[in-house]
Amino acid sequence: MTRHDVIIVGGGPVGMGLAIDLGQRGLRVAVVERHVAPQPIPKGQNLTQRTLENIDAWGCEPELRAARVVPRGVANGGLVTYGALLSDYHYDWFPREKVQPFYGQALDRLPQYETERVLRARAARIGAIDTFYGWSFDGLSQDADGVTIGIAEHKGDGRQVLRAAFAVGCDGSRSATRDAAEITQSLSDHDRRMALLVFRSPELHRLLGERYAERSFYNAISPELDGYWLFLGRVDLGRDWFFHAPVPDGTTEETFDAAGFLHKAVGRPFDLEITHTGFWDLRVALADTYRKGRVFIAGDAAHSHPPYGGYGINTGFEDARNLGWKLAAALQGWAGERLLDSFDAERRPVFASTARDFIERFIKEDRAFLARYSPEKDEEAFRKAWFARPEGASEIVAFEPHYEGSPIVAGPGHPGARGDHRFEARAGHHLAPRGLSDGRTTYDALGTGFTLLAFDRPGLAGEMATAAAELSVPLTVVTDSYADERLDYAARAILVRPDGFVAWAGDDVEDPGAMLAMAVGRAV
């Protein structure tokens, strides 16, 4: 039996991100992944500013940017078109650059398999991480002291037993870890069979370039789709593409005219070579809990949804960043009993809100628009309504996952994905970067544990440092004047968690020790 602190089942991007987070904190981690190498299916392409902050925290941001496939001149956003992809009606959609000032890293774009390669290489440089590539999950049991997991060679007869204090299932939407831990799911089934096509076509690149400025993806809506999308995305610039679309129930690779379907979706024939055809069911799934005893689930094992808006991989990375420091705190002895439960309390409502307030809302709004407007019925009314749709890019500003009302955050509210972007420091919200007197930003100054930003508050800084030492909580103290960009925070003191979210913000606190104890889940 091989012993670790944490066993992670699933070595995709979420599992590897979590392993790196834990390994960097000195914890011994086992990663069990049945694929010896990343699978070359393009998905998870759009990486948000927040995801790049997480990648930076995991020590491989330059390597990830160097792995980019699409040149930087191509916008990360996309287009929405009407009818076919080559359409007279189109508008820009999802310009994520709009919220750049509120983050410490710029967004990026590359296929998930390239992201996985970067994360695997980073994990290989951390001695505390043991990787079992080519091995599969083969059952678990847990007791009061830990979790025992059996693993089997994916293409062989080998068997091993691993033992750890905790286990995390990052093994996808059909998670065997979730099932073995008897964690149930709630499903919102849209009763749609979807096709995934991967293909090569330099001619399509030329056709789109003649009509539009270069974009990373293109969506088409039309009445027969009933609010669902045709989604075309670039893998690189000029040759490779991936395409999602609803197809009739019962469609198989043998009965599906993939080339003809693509020609209709684009609006004209073009030369192409199909390299992959797959099918999946469009649905939203949410686990009823993210924790069962010493077993946790994260990423697609905890939640899955259609690839609308690029939320999937980014949501999974945030799961990993949220859970990593909490598991480390529990294993290193400075967590309270409520800290591990806060993973479910924070992350599950955020996904529920993402699915309800963004993904499913897109489908409903498109369905209502298509039922009311069409150029055939009233072209003038259609054009007016069509070109008013993208005004303000509200979905970009409004998507702001937060943990208001969390049991380890000071202040009221409820966690969710809908909010707004501000420089003001708010409990439960991501901290936006502001300039310090020494030329750094507050993002640059954040430590790997908790960070106290104290602006003209030397007494509070000393009291919080003393409390942190007494509670064995890692704390970095950053002092500065309350002036210049720091005034934007509207608070003279800000306690920032290891994941970059604000635990408390204000001018003074009566009991700094009690505030810090609350933030690490200790009863006060």
Side-chain angles (χ1 to χ4, degrees):
M1 183 179 294
T2 305
R3 296 185 179 274
H4 294 83
D5 292 312
V6 180
I7 301 166
I8 298 170
V9 180
V14 177
M16 295 311 299
L18 179 58
I20 294 165
D21 200 297
L22 294 167
Q24 289 182 156
R25 300 178 190 278
L27 302 176
R28 191 173 181 205
V29 184
V31 180
V32 181
E33 168 54 48
R34 68 190 183 96
H35 293 298
V36 175
Q39 299 301 289
I41 303 299
K43 55 182 179 179
Q45 303 254 359
N46 287 294
L47 304 181
T48 64
Q49 291 96 338
R50 172 57 185 168
T51 282
L52 265 295
E53 289 187 352
N54 294 331
I55 296 293
D56 185 35
W58 296 332
C60 50
E61 178 262 340
E63 292 83 354
L64 183 132
R65 296 198 189 277
R68 182 183 174 103
V69 177
V70 178
R72 298 199 176 279
V74 178
N76 273 61
L79 288 176
V80 175
T81 68
Y82 178 81
L85 292 166
L86 291 174
S87 170
D88 293 332
Y89 302 105
H90 57 86
Y91 58 78
D92 287 338
W93 191 72
F94 244 59
R96 282 199 171 98
E97 293 84 354
K98 190 177 181 72
V99 296
Q100 182 58 60
F102 301 96
Y103 295 91
Q105 290 287 335
L107 49 68
D108 220 316
R109 177 182 175 85
L110 67 164
Q112 180 174 307
Y113 52 83
E114 295 294 348
T115 301
E116 288 186 29
R117 288 193 181 103
V118 170
L119 293 172
R120 284 190 178 205
R122 172 64 183 133
R125 299 195 298 272
I126 301 174
I129 299 175
D130 296 325
T131 51
F132 294 82
Y133 297 136
W135 290 76
S136 297
F137 173 85
D138 192 30
L140 71 78
S141 62
Q142 59 173 314
D143 52 48
D145 299 319
V147 184
T148 301
I149 287 183
I151 62 174
E153 271 190 299
H154 184 52
K155 296 182 179 180
D157 299 323
R159 295 288 187 275
Q160 291 192 54
V161 177
L162 307 179
R163 174 77 173 172
F166 299 102
V168 186
C170 301
D171 47 345
S173 59
R174 295 183 175 86
S175 170
T177 311
R178 182 188 63 230
D179 293 344
E182 299 182 341
I183 296 174
T184 57
Q185 293 186 98
S186 295
L187 305 179
S188 174
D189 198 337
H190 288 257
D191 195 27
R192 284 279 175 166
R193 184 163 177 78
M194 304 289 289
L196 166 62
L197 302 175
V198 183
F199 64 98
R200 293 172 179 163
S201 178
E203 185 180 359
L204 180 57
H205 172 69
R206 179 181 61 79
L207 290 172
L208 291 169
E210 291 172 352
R211 180 70 59 90
Y212 312 120
E214 288 172 345
R215 295 290 186 273
S216 292
F217 58 90
Y218 306 81
N219 302 330
I221 62 172
S222 60
E224 66 268 21
L225 298 176
D226 193 30
Y228 300 99
W229 291 349
L230 303 174
F231 184 98
L232 176 70
R234 293 183 184 275
V235 178
D236 54 22
L237 184 64
R239 191 187 73 164
D240 292 333
W241 307 85
F242 67 98
F243 178 79
H244 291 280
V247 295
D249 288 343
T251 301
T252 66
E253 188 170 355
E254 291 73 27
T255 63
F256 186 40
D257 179 10
F261 195 89
L262 283 166
H263 292 160
K264 181 180 178 182
V266 171
R268 59 162 292 174
F270 60 95
D271 291 334
L272 73 152
E273 176 192 354
I274 295 173
T275 58
H276 174 82
T277 303
F279 299 94
W280 52 279
D281 295 323
L282 192 153
R283 67 178 190 177
V284 174
L286 176 59
D288 297 317
T289 180
Y290 284 10
R291 180 188 185 186
K292 184 66 72 74
R294 290 179 170 270
V295 179
F296 297 80
I297 53 175
D300 286 351
H303 47 75
S304 58
H305 59 79
Y308 280 34
Y311 296 109
I313 191 172
N314 299 294
T315 300
F317 277 139
E318 198 63 57
D319 291 346
R321 187 82 187 277
N322 185 288
L323 182 57
W325 74 269
K326 296 174 180 179
L327 286 172
L331 288 160
Q332 293 167 352
W334 49 274
E337 293 183 0
R338 297 183 299 174
L339 187 61
L340 290 180
D341 285 337
S342 73
F343 173 61
D344 177 275
E346 293 182 342
R347 294 302 301 158
R348 207 158 60 89
V350 165
F351 177 80
S353 174
T354 300
R356 178 185 66 247
D357 299 331
F358 293 89
I359 297 167
E360 292 187 313
R361 180 175 65 84
F362 294 153
I363 296 171
K364 292 176 182 177
E365 288 182 353
D366 285 347
R367 182 178 296 154
F369 176 87
L370 292 165
R372 182 173 180 182
Y373 299 103
S374 79
E376 292 78 19
K377 288 189 295 187
D378 187 334
E379 184 173 7
E380 183 179 352
F382 173 84
R383 289 181 63 87
K384 183 177 180 180
W386 176 262
F387 292 110
R389 297 188 88 209
E391 289 179 1
S394 61
E395 67 277 351
I396 295 296
V397 177
F399 184 69
E400 190 257 342
H402 62 82
Y403 308 134
E404 285 186 1
S406 161
I408 59 168
V409 162
H414 302 281
R418 178 170 284 278
D420 59 353
H421 285 78
R422 303 185 211 167
F423 291 116
E424 177 187 351
R426 296 169 289 165
H429 291 258
H430 171 268
L431 183 76
R434 296 282 81 193
L436 294 169
S437 298
D438 62 9
R440 297 181 298 166
T441 68
T442 50
Y443 172 79
D444 300 327
L446 296 177
T448 57
F450 277 79
T451 302
L452 177 69
L453 302 175
F455 305 133
D456 292 335
R457 284 293 182 268
L460 177 59
E463 292 174 11
M464 192 72 80
T466 299
E470 292 173 350
L471 296 170
S472 299
V473 175
L475 177 71
T476 299
V477 176
V478 179
T479 61
D480 207 335
S481 61
Y482 188 51
D484 304 321
E485 286 189 349
R486 299 175 293 287
L487 295 171
D488 294 340
Y489 284 138
R492 294 174 182 268
I494 307 164
L495 182 63
V496 187
R497 306 180 342 173
D499 58 0
F501 280 75
V502 176
W504 166 81
D507 289 337
D508 289 295
V509 59
E510 183 176 343
D511 188 340
M515 182 62 69
L516 188 59
M518 175 277 300
V520 298
R522 298 193 185 189
V524 294

